[in-house]
Amino acid sequence: MSDYTPQPENKFTFGLWTVGNIGRDPFGGPVREQKTPADLVRLLGEVGAYGVNFHDNDLIPIDVMPSEAEAIKKDFREALDETGIVVPMATTNLFSDPIFKDGAFTSNDPKVRAYALQKTMNAIDLGVEFGAKIYVFWGGREGTETDSTKNPVEAIKRNREAMNFLCDYVRDQKYDLKFALEAKPNEPRGDIYNSTTGHMLAFIATLDHPEMVGVNPEVAHEHMAGLNFVHGVAQALEAGKLFHIDLNDQAFGRYDQDFRFGAVNLKSAFFLVKLLEDNKYDSSRHFDAHAYRTEDYEGVKDFARGCMRTYLILKEKAAQWNADKEIQALVAEINADDGSMGGYFGKYSSEKAKALKAQPFDRSAIAARGLQYERLDQLTVEVLLGVR
Ligand code: GCO
Ligand code: MN
Ligand code: MN
């Protein structure tokens, strides 16, 4: 058993907006005072995080004068140097300012669309200045409350045009930067376009530079849509498109909760960690979550430490699962292959098809076999409960 101390190779990161969340919700004002970006970096250094991510306006408020912006950047840079915290990812706030009330890249107003492009180019410059290699796009306002207001086909085209323009901007600047698109089904809009990771993967294939663009799936977002997050992440991984991941937790069917990683669905968190570790995922493990509104900044540190500690405990459980003889014997049995069907798989040929059509199958004998999944799942639960 390790002491679950976060290590740089775990690449645990937090957004400035996560540990900097002041506990405002639709029913009440802030419960924690606002900390500066530099102080948030120090807080992350104290809890042992590897990196910090930011929206342009988390670092530089939208209205500040250039001289003030320079002072903020200097303080932030000093805190990074002092703590050794790095900036692996940056993103644009295209949702808070009233100009984005009907979206950014998909707005019906060409002035809003042009401003969104300008703001994103500036934010990309800022991210790259601090070393970001991944740039996240979360289209929080790219949607509708009523489909009388926007043409949904046009919205797809506008989104594509914006992504293509910005990919070319990055190439033109010779930045070493990749994009990661983050889906969410709703909140803050009634419905958001490209609502799941699967939608994003299909959309990426239609871009001019698909090799520059991957996904940033988030636990809570797929759970809000009632989906199996592990399956969505597996699809992205298998396609070589898992550029980044947002870890948090969320009860199905509730509001956008952004709970501490593992706070709700421990079993699905376990299979997620196992998937990432088994497949040697090596980009950031970003906790896009925040502390309960009941907490002060000591509670915020408990929250941040808890996210990382739960991940590391589940990582250890995944290794235990992989090494458990009884579990592995069952896995081997489930996947047993006597080789008799080998000639039918792989690339199609008309001979193969002909031979397969002539092959007799004893359907009831095959179906009669019990698969022992009850035993396997119970063993998994017992690993998780710490009794094996
Ligand atoms: C949310 C989203 C955001 C994005 C962030 C980065 O539900 O509000 O998850 O936190 O991840 O804007 O683009
Ligand atoms: Mn979210
Ligand atoms: Mn997110």
Side-chain angles (χ1 to χ4, degrees), residues 138 182 184 218 220-221 246 248 256 258 288:
W138 172 64
E182 176 177 349
K184 189 178 185 182
E218 174 169 318
H221 297 179
D246 276 4
N248 56 11
D256 185 9
D258 282 343
D288 189 8

Side-chain angles (χ1 to χ4, degrees), residues 28-322:
V31 294
R32 292 182 282 268
E33 84 278 10
Q34 185 106 46
K35 282 193 183 289
T36 64
D39 280 345
L40 291 168
V41 168
R42 290 190 189 97
L43 182 152
L44 289 176
E46 192 183 328
V47 299
Y50 162 77
V52 66
N53 309 310
F54 58 78
H55 300 86
D56 49 353
N57 304 137
D58 299 338
L59 188 58
I60 320 274
I62 196 162
D63 287 327
V64 307
M65 303 301 289
S67 59
E68 213 183 315
E70 283 314 310
I72 296 171
K73 285 204 270 183
K74 189 168 164 279
D75 285 353
F76 185 63
R77 170 78 66 199
E78 274 169 19
L80 293 173
D81 292 345
E82 187 185 308
T83 54
I85 300 262
V86 297
V87 177
M89 177 273 260
T91 182
T92 330
N93 185 326
L94 295 172
F95 45 88
S96 293
D97 194 85
I99 192 174
F100 300 124
K101 64 188 178 190
D102 191 29
F105 304 137
T106 65
S107 167
N108 284 329
D109 184 341
K111 290 202 177 73
V112 176
R113 298 204 298 276
Y115 174 68
L117 284 175
Q118 182 201 69
K119 189 174 196 288
T120 304
M121 288 189 290
N122 289 332
I124 286 176
D125 296 345
L126 181 69
V128 169
E129 184 182 335
F130 282 96
K133 296 275 190 294
I134 298 286
Y135 203 83
V136 164
F137 288 84
W138 172 64
R141 300 266 178 208
E142 312 288 13
T144 60
E145 282 69 45
T146 161
D147 289 326
S148 56
T149 60
K150 276 186 198 165
N151 177 334
V153 173
E154 203 51 43
I156 296 167
K157 293 187 194 306
R158 287 175 183 165
N159 235 330
R160 179 184 300 121
E161 200 176 275
M163 285 305 130
N164 286 340
F165 185 96
L166 293 166
C167 280
D168 276 326
Y169 176 72
V170 166
R171 289 161 60 87
D172 197 20
Q173 302 302 308
K174 309 214 165 12
Y175 289 155
D176 175 16
L177 191 70
K178 287 191 159 167
F179 291 174
L181 311 189
E182 176 177 349
K184 189 178 185 182
N186 54 271
E187 268 196 77
R189 295 313 295 267
D191 291 286
I192 300 176
Y193 298 125
N194 280 334
S195 49
T196 69
T197 298
H199 288 77
M200 284 299 183
L201 288 168
F203 172 70
I204 290 167
T206 71
L207 298 177
D208 287 349
H209 296 288
E211 71 287 352
M212 284 177 69
V213 187
V215 290
N216 178 37
E218 174 169 318
V219 179
H221 297 179
E222 306 290 313
H223 285 185
M224 285 169 74
L227 300 177
N228 181 316
F229 186 63
V230 175
H231 295 185
V233 173
Q235 189 178 359
L237 256 174
E238 200 273 340
K241 289 294 185 192
L242 190 65
F243 288 7
H244 199 266
I245 194 163
D246 276 4
L247 302 172
N248 56 11
D249 215 345
Q250 164 83 35
F252 282 77
R254 299 291 173 91
Y255 66 98
D256 185 9
Q257 295 179 309
D258 282 343
F259 286 153
R260 191 181 73 254
F261 182 58
V264 183
N265 291 290
L266 265 181
K267 198 171 166 190
S268 111
F270 165 73
F271 284 116
L272 175 65
V273 171
K274 182 169 166 351
L275 178 76
L276 297 176
E277 297 301 323
D278 286 353
N279 288 280
K280 308 203 173 352
Y281 169 77
D282 76 345
S283 184
S284 293
R285 289 159 179 83
H286 173 227
F287 297 104
D288 189 8
H290 52 77
Y292 302 142
R293 197 163 175 270
T294 49
E295 304 308 289
D296 59 9
Y297 275 100
E298 285 312 304
V300 171
K301 290 180 211 164
D302 290 338
F303 148 81
R305 289 193 178 104
C307 286
M308 297 186 283
R309 189 172 163 85
T310 297
Y311 187 100
L312 291 172
I313 295 169
L314 292 175
K315 181 178 168 179
E316 185 181 83
K317 297 282 178 195
Q320 188 191 340
W321 196 96
N322 288 341

